[in-house]
Amino acid sequence: MRKLLLLALAAVALTASAQPPSSLKDAYKDLFMMGVAVNQRNITDSAQSALVVREFSSMTAENDMKPASVHPRPDTWTWERADRIADFCRHHGIKLRGHTLMWHNQMCDWMFYDADHRFVSKDTLFQRMRQHIHTVVNRYKDIVYCWDVFNECIADGPRRLDADGHDQPLRESKFYQICHSDEFIRKAFEYAREADPDALLFYNDYNECDPVKCDRICTMIRSMKADGVPIDGIGMQGHYNIYGPSEADIENAVSRYADIVDHIHMTELDIRVNREMGGQLQHSDNAGATLTDTLLRRQQAQYAAVFRVMRRHADKVDCVTFWNLSDRDSWLGPDNYPLLFDRNYQPKPVYHTVRDFE
Ligand code: 9MR
């Protein structure tokens, strides 16, 4: 009788192991977390929120925790949308990636100016940054496990020289125009660490597999870490397309980042079916409007390549986050078909490419 029971149990186990995993988070549970950037609809519509809970173990607020969203004026804090996302995570036991404490875009513009609309001094800017960072980090300390502290500080394009003839890789943002150095980035990390010694702190950027930009990111992070700036991780945004970056370039970038930091997150993954890439909309190529089998197959191949690299580096990669839930939600518009779920929130064939890897 006992033997029969054991055999039956073994048969059940065998059938279970032959089944594909039931979700993305399950498929990758021994490797890294699977995350998704959400808007308010995704967490209030019951079908969409069920999908989020079923598939993902980490969440990011697509827009609702950015400086302009929570702190539009010096004395005004607008927490409602960010709180709703944090509460959703608390309720469902999903981890929350904080995005983003500082950015040149969707920033509190008032931070840069005095009452006469002239740039404030560096010290005033730092004081305002510190107050912002401390307030936001403290509010979500219990649920946010890591923060993108600064987003997109490195310039794209050819090298440029500063007034002293030195190579200047930083974007010419208002932060830079006020500080004339990378001190604002260093300060932001220090303030975030003061506010929450337990959160992992990330520098996050796009076109991060481009060899020139990767070089600039590595040089900057290496020098900051050597000076004791508390940077724990690098966020590779992962706004790719079906033609690039190549698996070799992704591999090379991850290896180089892994030499410098212990934590790598892919923070904003999506794969367009045209030739555009990076963190901005370009609208130069509308190939996505006519979706062919060839494009779809290329997209599957590119997703497979990205996840091969991520799996190879699972010792340093803690989380891979898709930038939006479905093609309907994508910041790129639905005609780019960049995600794993279609505009009706159904899994596309590329979902299985990612989930059911060999
Ligand atoms: O997805 C976000 C979109 O809804 C906003 O309009 C846009 C504003 O610039 O920001 C998008 O998210 C960006 C992210 O915060 C940082 N990396 C690039 C992302 C795409 O632009």
Side-chain angles (χ1 to χ4, degrees):
M1 184 64 193
R2 187 161 175 270
K3 204 168 170 191
L4 260 183
L5 189 66
L6 282 177
L7 274 175
L9 282 175
V12 169
L14 205 67
T15 329
S17 70
Q19 300 282 323
S22 60
S23 65
L24 294 168
K25 69 177 179 193
D26 234 46
Y28 284 85
K29 67 178 185 314
D30 298 328
L31 297 166
F32 39 76
M33 286 181 277
M34 292 292 261
V36 62
V38 296
N39 56 39
Q40 295 286 311
R41 240 186 1 262
N42 300 150
I43 57 158
T44 44
D45 174 277
S46 58
Q48 291 176 39
S49 51
L51 184 62
V52 169
V53 172
R54 190 183 79 208
E55 297 288 340
F56 299 100
S57 42
S58 171
M59 268 170 56
T60 308
E62 180 188 11
N63 287 305
D64 295 329
M65 289 189 156
K66 291 173 179 171
S69 305
V70 295
H71 200 183
R73 285 175 297 282
D75 299 320
T76 308
W77 291 92
T78 41
W79 298 116
E80 197 187 332
R81 298 160 76 89
D83 280 357
R84 204 175 285 134
I85 290 176
D87 284 342
F88 184 91
C89 287
R90 291 183 185 109
H91 182 73
H92 293 286
I94 299 178
K95 293 191 150 205
L96 183 55
R97 280 199 96 252
H99 175 83
T100 174
L101 292 173
M102 290 283 126
W103 190 21
H104 63 278
N105 204 350
Q106 292 179 293
M107 186 54 204
C108 320
D109 230 41
W110 57 263
M111 259 191 216
F112 301 119
Y113 297 105
D114 65 15
D116 301 322
H117 209 68
R118 283 184 314 228
F119 273 155
V120 292
S121 68
K122 189 168 87 169
D123 288 342
T124 302
L125 175 63
F126 289 169
Q127 202 188 323
R128 291 174 176 182
M129 284 169 54
R130 184 170 187 277
Q131 188 236 3
H132 177 88
I133 290 173
H134 270 252
T135 309
V136 178
V137 170
N138 270 305
R139 187 171 185 94
Y140 299 112
K141 231 177 189 170
D142 65 304
I143 183 73
V144 168
Y145 68 102
C146 71
W147 277 102
D148 288 332
V149 175
F150 236 116
N151 201 28
E152 304 174 7
C153 298
I154 301 284
D156 295 294
R159 295 196 177 269
R160 56 195 181 83
L161 300 180
D162 67 13
D164 302 324
H166 297 125
D167 182 41
Q168 181 40 263
L170 294 179
R171 177 188 297 279
E172 198 121 17
S173 64
K174 290 177 184 161
F175 292 103
Y176 182 78
Q177 289 167 36
I178 291 173
C179 299
H180 306 290
S181 77
D182 62 13
E183 203 183 347
F184 59 95
I185 307 170
R186 295 166 180 258
K187 290 286 182 207
F189 278 93
E190 283 162 22
Y191 302 151
R193 176 57 37 95
E194 278 168 16
D196 187 357
D198 296 328
L200 292 174
L201 306 181
F202 280 75
Y203 174 74
N204 189 42
D205 215 327
Y206 65 86
N207 288 352
E208 73 288 342
C209 297
D210 171 86
V212 173
K213 197 155 175 189
C214 173
D215 213 37
R216 292 175 175 177
I217 294 172
C218 288
T219 306
M220 179 179 86
I221 304 292
R222 207 187 287 281
S223 116
M224 290 184 177
K225 281 186 71 75
D227 294 340
V229 178
I231 301 177
D232 302 303
I234 294 181
M236 305 174 61
Q237 289 191 7
H239 292 297
Y240 301 151
N241 68 44
I242 54 175
Y243 306 99
S246 66
E247 185 166 350
D249 278 349
I250 306 173
E251 171 67 39
N252 184 48
V254 179
S255 306
R256 294 196 60 193
Y257 297 140
D259 280 345
I260 307 177
V261 292
D262 287 336
H263 301 275
I264 294 175
H265 286 191
M266 186 154 274
T267 51
E268 307 185 13
L269 178 60
D270 48 23
I271 298 183
R272 298 171 222 199
V273 298
N274 62 20
R275 292 191 179 276
E276 296 178 356
M277 78 167 67
Q280 279 133 18
L281 283 176
Q282 292 139 25
H283 293 302
S284 58
D285 177 348
N286 216 16
T290 49
L291 190 65
T292 61
D293 281 353
T294 314
L295 294 176
L296 280 178
R297 273 198 300 276
R298 270 181 186 273
Q299 190 186 45
Q300 283 178 285
Q302 183 68 323
Y303 263 114
V306 169
F307 277 92
R308 265 197 304 275
V309 178
M310 294 296 111
R311 288 196 296 270
R312 275 201 289 275
H313 290 274
D315 57 329
K316 292 261 172 138
V317 174
D318 311 327
C319 184
V320 175
T321 296
F322 292 87
W323 203 245
N324 301 117
L325 180 56
S326 78
D327 288 347
R328 176 165 172 218
D329 302 297
S330 172
W331 69 290
L332 298 162
D335 286 346
N336 257 297
Y337 309 93
L339 294 161
L340 305 191
F341 296 96
D342 68 18
R343 58 189 81 185
N344 297 315
Y345 298 90
Q346 297 306 308
K348 295 154 61 176
V350 67
Y351 167 89
H352 297 283
T353 308
V354 173
R355 193 193 68 180
D356 308 334
F357 61 90
E358 311 260 299

